[in-house]
Coordinates of all heavy atoms in Angstrom, one line a residue:
A220 N 5.4 -0.3 -9.0 CA 6.6 -0.7 -9.7 C 6.3 -1.9 -10.5 O 5.5 -2.8 -10.0 CB 7.8 -0.9 -8.7
A221 N 7.0 -2.1 -11.6 CA 6.9 -3.3 -12.4 C 5.4 -3.7 -12.7 O 5.1 -4.9 -12.7 CB 7.6 -4.5 -11.7
G222 N 4.6 -2.7 -12.9 CA 3.2 -2.9 -13.2 C 2.3 -3.4 -12.1 O 1.2 -3.9 -12.3
R223 N 2.8 -3.3 -10.9 CA 2.1 -3.7 -9.7 C 2.0 -2.6 -8.6 O 2.7 -1.6 -8.7 CB 2.8 -5.0 -9.1 CG 2.8 -6.1 -10.0 CD 3.6 -7.3 -9.4 NE 3.7 -8.4 -10.3 CZ 2.7 -9.4 -10.5 NH1 1.7 -9.3 -9.7 NH2 2.9 -10.3 -11.3
T224 N 1.1 -2.8 -7.7 CA 0.9 -1.8 -6.6 C 1.0 -2.6 -5.3 O 0.3 -3.6 -5.1 CB -0.4 -1.1 -6.7 OG1 -0.4 -0.3 -7.9 CG2 -0.5 -0.1 -5.5
W225 N 1.8 -2.1 -4.4 CA 1.9 -2.6 -3.0 C 1.3 -1.6 -2.0 O 1.7 -0.4 -2.1 CB 3.3 -2.9 -2.6 CG 4.0 -4.1 -3.3 CD1 4.1 -5.4 -2.8 CD2 4.6 -4.1 -4.6 NE1 4.8 -6.2 -3.7 CE2 5.1 -5.4 -4.8 CE3 4.8 -3.1 -5.6 CZ2 5.8 -5.8 -6.0 CZ3 5.5 -3.5 -6.7 CH2 6.0 -4.8 -6.9
V226 N 0.4 -2.0 -1.2 CA -0.1 -1.2 -0.1 C 0.6 -1.7 1.2 O 0.6 -2.9 1.5 CB -1.6 -1.3 0.1 CG1 -2.1 -0.4 1.3 CG2 -2.2 -0.8 -1.2
L227 N 1.3 -0.7 1.9 CA 2.2 -1.1 3.0 C 1.8 -0.5 4.3 O 2.2 0.7 4.6 CB 3.7 -0.7 2.6 CG 4.2 -1.2 1.2 CD1 5.5 -0.5 0.9 CD2 4.3 -2.7 1.2
P228 N 1.1 -1.2 5.2 CA 0.9 -0.7 6.5 C 2.3 -0.9 7.3 O 3.2 -1.4 6.7 CB -0.1 -1.7 7.1 CG 0.1 -3.0 6.3 CD 0.5 -2.5 4.9
S229 N 2.3 -0.5 8.5 CA 3.5 -0.5 9.3 C 4.1 -1.9 9.6 O 5.2 -2.0 10.0 CB 3.4 0.3 10.6 OG 2.4 -0.4 11.4
T230 N 3.3 -2.9 9.3 CA 3.8 -4.3 9.6 C 4.6 -4.8 8.5 O 5.3 -5.9 8.6 CB 2.6 -5.2 9.7 OG1 1.7 -5.1 8.6 CG2 1.8 -4.9 11.0
V231 N 4.7 -4.1 7.3 CA 5.5 -4.6 6.2 C 6.2 -3.5 5.5 O 5.8 -2.3 5.6 CB 4.6 -5.4 5.1 CG1 4.1 -6.7 5.7 CG2 3.5 -4.5 4.6
A232 N 7.3 -3.8 4.8 CA 8.1 -2.9 4.1 C 8.3 -3.5 2.7 O 8.1 -4.7 2.5 CB 9.4 -2.5 4.8
L233 N 8.8 -2.6 1.8 CA 9.1 -3.1 0.4 C 10.5 -2.9 0.0 O 11.0 -1.8 0.1 CB 8.2 -2.5 -0.6 CG 8.3 -3.0 -2.0 CD1 7.7 -4.5 -2.1 CD2 7.6 -2.1 -3.1
W234 N 11.2 -4.0 -0.3 CA 12.6 -3.9 -0.9 C 12.5 -3.5 -2.3 O 11.8 -4.2 -3.1 CB 13.3 -5.2 -0.7 CG 14.7 -5.3 -1.2 CD1 15.0 -5.6 -2.5 CD2 15.9 -5.0 -0.5 NE1 16.4 -5.5 -2.7 CE2 16.9 -5.2 -1.5 CE3 16.2 -4.6 0.8 CZ2 18.3 -5.0 -1.1 CZ3 17.5 -4.5 1.1 CH2 18.5 -4.6 0.2
I235 N 13.2 -2.5 -2.7 CA 13.2 -2.0 -4.1 C 14.6 -2.0 -4.6 O 15.4 -1.2 -4.2 CB 12.6 -0.6 -4.3 CG1 11.2 -0.5 -3.6 CG2 12.5 -0.2 -5.7 CD1 10.7 0.9 -3.4
P236 N 15.0 -3.0 -5.5 CA 16.3 -3.0 -6.0 C 16.8 -1.8 -6.6 O 16.0 -1.0 -7.2 CB 16.3 -4.2 -7.0 CG 15.1 -5.0 -6.6 CD 14.1 -4.0 -6.1
A237 N 18.1 -1.5 -6.6 CA 18.7 -0.3 -7.2 C 18.3 -0.3 -8.7 O 18.4 -1.4 -9.4 CB 20.2 -0.3 -7.0
G238 N 18.0 0.8 -9.2 CA 17.7 1.0 -10.6 C 16.3 0.7 -11.1 O 16.0 0.9 -12.2
V239 N 15.5 0.2 -10.2 CA 14.1 -0.2 -10.5 C 13.2 1.1 -10.5 O 13.1 1.7 -9.4 CB 13.5 -1.3 -9.6 CG1 12.0 -1.4 -9.9 CG2 14.2 -2.6 -9.8
P240 N 12.6 1.5 -11.6 CA 11.7 2.6 -11.6 C 10.5 2.4 -10.7 O 9.9 1.3 -10.7 CB 11.3 2.8 -13.0 CG 12.3 2.0 -13.8 CD 12.7 0.9 -13.0
H241 N 10.1 3.4 -9.9 CA 9.0 3.2 -9.0 C 8.4 4.6 -8.6 O 9.1 5.6 -8.7 CB 9.3 2.4 -7.7 CG 10.4 3.1 -6.9 ND1 11.7 3.0 -7.3 CD2 10.3 3.8 -5.8 CE1 12.4 3.7 -6.4 NE2 11.6 4.2 -5.5
A242 N 7.1 4.6 -8.2 CA 6.5 5.8 -7.7 C 6.0 5.4 -6.3 O 5.5 4.3 -6.0 CB 5.3 6.2 -8.5
T243 N 6.2 6.4 -5.3 CA 5.8 6.1 -3.9 C 4.8 7.2 -3.5 O 5.0 8.4 -3.8 CB 7.1 6.2 -3.1 OG1 8.0 5.3 -3.6 CG2 6.7 5.8 -1.6
G244 N 3.8 6.8 -2.7 CA 2.8 7.7 -2.2 C 2.3 7.2 -0.9 O 2.7 6.2 -0.4
A245 N 1.3 8.0 -0.4 CA 0.6 7.6 0.9 C -0.9 7.6 0.7 O -1.4 8.6 0.1 CB 1.1 8.6 1.9
T246 N -1.5 6.6 1.2 CA -3.0 6.6 1.2 C -3.6 7.4 2.3 O -4.8 7.8 2.2 CB -3.5 5.1 1.3 OG1 -3.1 4.6 2.6 CG2 -2.8 4.2 0.2
C247 N -2.8 7.8 3.3 CA -3.2 8.7 4.3 C -1.9 9.4 4.8 O -0.8 8.9 4.4 CB -3.9 8.0 5.5 SG -3.0 6.7 6.3
A248 N -2.0 10.4 5.6 CA -0.8 11.1 6.1 C 0.2 10.1 6.7 O -0.2 9.2 7.5 CB -1.1 12.2 7.1
A249 N 1.4 10.1 6.3 CA 2.4 9.1 6.7 C 3.8 9.7 7.0 O 4.1 10.7 6.4 CB 2.5 8.0 5.7
L250 N 4.5 9.0 7.8 CA 5.9 9.3 8.0 C 6.7 8.2 7.2 O 6.5 7.0 7.6 CB 6.4 9.3 9.4 CG 7.9 9.4 9.7 CD1 8.5 10.7 9.2 CD2 8.2 9.2 11.2
M251 N 7.4 8.5 6.2 CA 8.1 7.5 5.4 C 9.5 7.5 5.9 O 10.2 8.5 6.1 CB 8.1 7.9 3.9 CG 8.8 6.8 3.1 SD 8.6 7.2 1.3 CE 9.6 5.8 0.6
R252 N 10.0 6.2 6.1 CA 11.4 6.0 6.6 C 12.0 5.1 5.6 O 11.6 3.9 5.5 CB 11.4 5.5 8.0 CG 12.8 5.6 8.6 CD 12.8 5.7 10.1 NE 12.7 7.1 10.5 CZ 12.4 7.4 11.8 NH1 12.2 6.5 12.7 NH2 12.3 8.7 12.1
S253 N 12.9 5.5 4.8 CA 13.5 4.7 3.8 C 15.0 4.4 4.1 O 15.7 5.3 4.6 CB 13.5 5.4 2.4 OG 12.2 5.3 1.8
L254 N 15.3 3.1 4.0 CA 16.7 2.7 4.2 C 17.3 2.5 2.8 O 16.7 1.9 1.9 CB 16.8 1.4 5.0 CG 16.7 1.5 6.5 CD1 15.3 2.0 6.9 CD2 17.0 0.1 7.2
Y255 N 18.6 3.0 2.6 CA 19.3 2.8 1.4 C 20.5 2.0 1.6 O 21.3 2.3 2.5 CB 19.6 4.2 0.8 CG 18.4 5.1 0.6 CD1 18.1 6.1 1.6 CD2 17.6 4.9 -0.5 CE1 17.0 6.8 1.4 CE2 16.5 5.7 -0.7 CZ 16.2 6.7 0.3 OH 15.0 7.5 0.1
F256 N 20.7 0.9 0.8 CA 21.8 0.0 1.0 C 22.7 0.1 -0.2 O 22.3 -0.1 -1.3 CB 21.2 -1.5 1.1 CG 20.2 -1.7 2.2 CD1 18.9 -1.2 2.1 CD2 20.6 -2.4 3.3 CE1 18.0 -1.4 3.1 CE2 19.6 -2.6 4.4 CZ 18.3 -2.1 4.2
W257 N 24.0 0.3 0.1 CA 25.0 0.4 -1.0 C 25.2 -1.0 -1.6 O 25.5 -2.0 -0.9 CB 26.3 0.9 -0.4 CG 26.1 2.2 0.3 CD1 26.2 2.5 1.7 CD2 25.8 3.5 -0.3 NE1 25.9 3.8 1.9 CE2 25.7 4.4 0.8 CE3 25.5 3.9 -1.6 CZ2 25.3 5.8 0.5 CZ3 25.2 5.2 -1.8 CH2 25.1 6.1 -0.8
P258 N 24.9 -1.1 -2.9 CA 25.0 -2.5 -3.5 C 26.3 -3.2 -3.3 O 26.2 -4.5 -3.1 CB 24.8 -2.2 -5.0 CG 23.9 -0.9 -5.0 CD 24.5 -0.1 -3.8

């Protein structure tokens, strides 16, 4: 997102503001759990 790449092990998460374009993937098989917060 925003011209940058974040690699996220289980010790960290990434807050992505509403409306920000982003792509999400996995470097190895993963269970993704996303929280969505009503603005």
Side-chain angles (χ1 to χ4, degrees):
R223 299 176 181 274
T224 300
W225 288 262
V226 177
L227 308 169
S229 62
T230 55
V231 291
L233 186 69
W234 177 273
I235 307 168
V239 171
H241 61 281
T243 307
T246 65
C247 58
L250 172 64
M251 182 175 179
R252 191 154 276 169
S253 285
L254 279 65
Y255 302 99
F256 300 76
W257 306 108

